[in-house]
Amino acid sequence: MTDFKEDMKPININLELEAAERENNTTQNDGPDENSRPFKINVSERVKRLPPYLFAELNALKYAKRKEGADVIDLGMGSPSDPPHHLIIEKLIEASQNPRLHAYSNAKGLPNLRREVAARYLKYYGVRLDPDSEIIVTIGSKDALNHSLLALISPGDLAIVPAPYFPAHLYGVMLASGETLALDARNPEKLISDIAVACETHIPHPKLVLVNYPHNPTATVVERDFYVDLVRLAKKYGFMVISDLAYADLAFDGYKSPCLLEVPGGKEIGIETTTMSKSYNMAGWRIGFCCGNSEMIRALATIKTYYDYGTFSPIQIASIVAIRQMDAMVEAQAKIYEHRRNVLCEAMERIGWEVVKPKASMFVWQKIPEIWQQKMSTFDFAMKLLREANVVVSPGSAFGPLGEGYMRLALVEKDDRLRQAIRQIGRILEY
């Protein structure tokens, strides 16, 4: 019997992470073998419809600077930097040591995990969900969203998406061969009116409306009446609703995010996607949920049957512990983001910027000073901050035309690093 320990080489975790991240964000092209005949790859039209990856140039510069030893502060991506609670990690380790749990997982998710999700919805929103027919475990909320779109959208169907848009919302519809109508989500009351107008005037009529509150990237929030009005419109015009509720737990200043399913009729017309990535700091674990209308859940489950076998069972078991025991951790994590929001906003005010503090999410949506909007594009401004201040931000234009003139800053660094980032930005800006 081979002793694997003798052959194992030590692994530098940091180097492995850097290499994986670099590969994930850059594309290598070694070109064809000059001695072979070129073979043309004709990719699908859905891939051709996708735009170039806007962050590729930013990421390439970021990695080049870090390779040179620069201390780059990355506020670009909303990837939590805090670890999960140690009890969640310990349960994952324990479950991973059970050989029976390394087989294919339950396609809809472990029954006990679905029951915990149902219990949480009842506790937080007063919503009763059937764990068997109205809840499915997904590989993060992106999986829930994109596979739901494949299950619900046919070629040529029209879907309304919120703008500025999180790219997965817009391009998820496009990958399902649907058409999109992007409506401004920054004024929820006007969005309701715009949806009604679209239903009256557009041919084909919208088949689906996608909403996302607290909103990414702008952090706009809604009150419960928004969903009441949305359900009323959905029943009147016959469109389905997908609500992306990824940031509901990260609410500040006493605000509590409502949800689609808590209003009368919500389960009749739509589904809701949630995730453990943000509030439980489990982004890399890829665990989320889709809840709501049983027919829409069934359609999603059918699609997923052909695409995957679900999330690794030990991750699901650890998630049961998280949902059952970690309410205090979720509340504490929201307080951490609220404090970082205050630190970042106060630092920006000190360099003379006008700031609107968000009530929820893990982002600050910041308008770029007019003088710099006149000089350069939002993307060029973001490149300037990286090149000269060693600070990464997400240019608003990455979220569509309505994002031009803004930048998104993620609250993923500790207090001192946030203050340092804004000081470095302030030093390079001339007024």
Side-chain angles (χ1 to χ4, degrees), residues 106-243:
N106 185 309
K108 291 179 61 177
L110 298 180
N112 281 343
L113 179 53
R114 285 183 274 126
R115 282 192 280 269
E116 289 298 329
V117 174
R120 193 172 195 273
Y121 259 89
L122 182 61
K123 178 180 179 179
Y124 277 80
Y125 299 109
V127 178
R128 294 189 180 276
L129 294 170
D130 181 348
D132 293 326
S133 64
E134 296 177 333
I135 299 174
I136 185 171
V137 179
T138 59
I139 309 173
S141 57
K142 261 191 179 182
D143 167 39
L145 171 71
N146 285 286
H147 282 151
S148 291
L149 291 170
L150 283 176
L152 301 172
I153 294 293
S154 300
D157 284 344
L158 179 64
I160 291 175
V161 297
Y165 45 75
F166 180 57
H169 294 159
L170 184 81
Y171 299 116
V173 176
M174 293 174 60
L175 286 169
S177 299
E179 302 297 328
T180 59
L181 174 62
L183 297 180
D184 193 340
R186 295 172 294 183
N187 183 334
E189 185 176 335
K190 185 176 184 299
L191 176 60
I192 290 292
S193 175
D194 290 344
I195 292 172
V197 170
C199 290
E200 292 284 355
T201 60
H202 276 73
I203 302 296
H205 298 303
K207 183 179 183 181
L208 183 144
V209 172
L210 199 159
V211 294
N212 168 221
Y213 292 108
H215 183 235
N216 179 15
T218 70
T220 302
V221 297
V222 295
E223 300 298 335
R224 186 175 183 276
D225 285 349
F226 172 84
Y227 293 113
V228 173
D229 292 338
L230 185 62
V231 169
R232 175 179 54 81
L233 287 184
K235 289 185 174 182
K236 179 178 179 179
Y237 294 107
F239 60 76
M240 296 175 287
V241 175
I242 297 179
S243 173

Side-chain angles (χ1 to χ4, degrees), residues 196-430:
V197 170
C199 290
E200 292 284 355
T201 60
H202 276 73
I203 302 296
H205 298 303
K207 183 179 183 181
L208 183 144
V209 172
L210 199 159
V211 294
N212 168 221
Y213 292 108
H215 183 235
N216 179 15
T218 70
T220 302
V221 297
V222 295
E223 300 298 335
R224 186 175 183 276
D225 285 349
F226 172 84
Y227 293 113
V228 173
D229 292 338
L230 185 62
V231 169
R232 175 179 54 81
L233 287 184
K235 289 185 174 182
K236 179 178 179 179
Y237 294 107
F239 60 76
M240 296 175 287
V241 175
I242 297 179
S243 173
D244 180 352
L245 203 65
Y247 299 95
D249 290 334
L250 306 182
F252 317 136
D253 304 326
Y255 172 75
K256 181 183 176 183
S257 178
C259 79
L260 169 70
L261 302 184
E262 72 176 277
V263 304
K267 282 200 299 183
E268 295 177 42
I269 55 89
I271 53 177
E272 199 156 65
T273 64
T274 57
T275 177
M276 300 188 74
S277 294
K278 318 301 181 183
S279 46
Y280 294 91
N281 297 322
M282 294 168 64
W285 297 49
R286 307 316 302 134
I287 183 82
F289 314 99
C290 189
C291 308
N293 182 274
S294 59
E295 280 301 301
M296 296 170 73
I297 295 294
R298 184 192 60 77
L300 169 59
T302 301
I303 288 289
K304 282 178 60 62
T305 298
Y306 289 92
Y307 275 89
D308 62 70
Y309 286 100
T311 298
F312 186 39
S313 292
I315 291 177
Q316 295 191 54
I317 291 173
S319 299
I320 293 172
V321 170
I323 296 175
R324 185 179 294 168
Q325 301 182 15
M326 300 298 161
D327 283 357
M329 176 208 162
V330 172
E331 293 175 7
Q333 191 63 47
K335 289 295 183 184
I336 290 172
Y337 282 118
E338 181 177 351
H339 177 71
R340 289 177 183 171
R341 176 208 63 176
N342 293 338
V343 167
L344 184 69
C345 291
E346 289 164 8
M348 289 192 293
E349 287 171 345
R350 280 196 292 273
I351 66 171
W353 287 18
E354 294 183 7
V355 178
V356 177
K357 286 186 176 181
K359 289 185 178 181
S361 88
M362 60 190 298
F363 305 112
V364 171
W365 182 247
Q366 179 60 39
K367 189 172 185 179
I368 296 170
E370 291 289 344
I371 187 172
W372 289 101
Q373 291 188 49
Q374 296 170 8
K375 291 181 178 181
M376 61 184 65
S377 70
T378 297
F379 178 79
D380 289 338
F381 184 77
M383 288 294 290
K384 176 181 177 67
L385 297 189
L386 175 54
R387 191 177 294 112
E388 301 177 25
N390 286 336
V391 177
V392 180
V393 302
S394 292
S397 52
F399 308 100
L402 290 183
E404 185 62 40
Y406 291 82
M407 62 181 183
R408 192 193 71 178
L409 301 96
L411 303 170
V412 294
E413 290 279 2
K414 298 188 184 301
D415 298 0
D416 290 344
R417 297 280 284 174
L418 293 173
R419 294 188 185 100
Q420 180 184 347
I422 302 306
R423 282 197 301 270
Q424 292 172 192
I425 290 174
R427 290 191 192 114
I428 69 163
L429 301 183
E430 299 176 359

Side-chain angles (χ1 to χ4, degrees), residues 45-95:
E45 288 301 316
R46 64 175 56 88
V47 171
K48 292 177 182 178
R49 293 178 69 189
L50 297 175
Y53 184 52
L54 187 60
F55 288 98
E57 191 175 349
L58 273 168
N59 285 328
L61 178 57
K62 176 177 70 174
Y63 294 124
K65 291 177 76 70
R66 282 181 169 169
K67 189 174 182 180
E68 294 168 358
D71 180 19
V72 176
I73 303 175
D74 191 350
L75 307 182
M77 188 174 181
S79 181
S81 55
D82 302 306
H85 194 282
H86 68 91
L87 291 178
I88 303 174
I89 298 173
E90 289 168 9
K91 180 55 70 171
L92 172 67
I93 294 171
E94 176 191 333

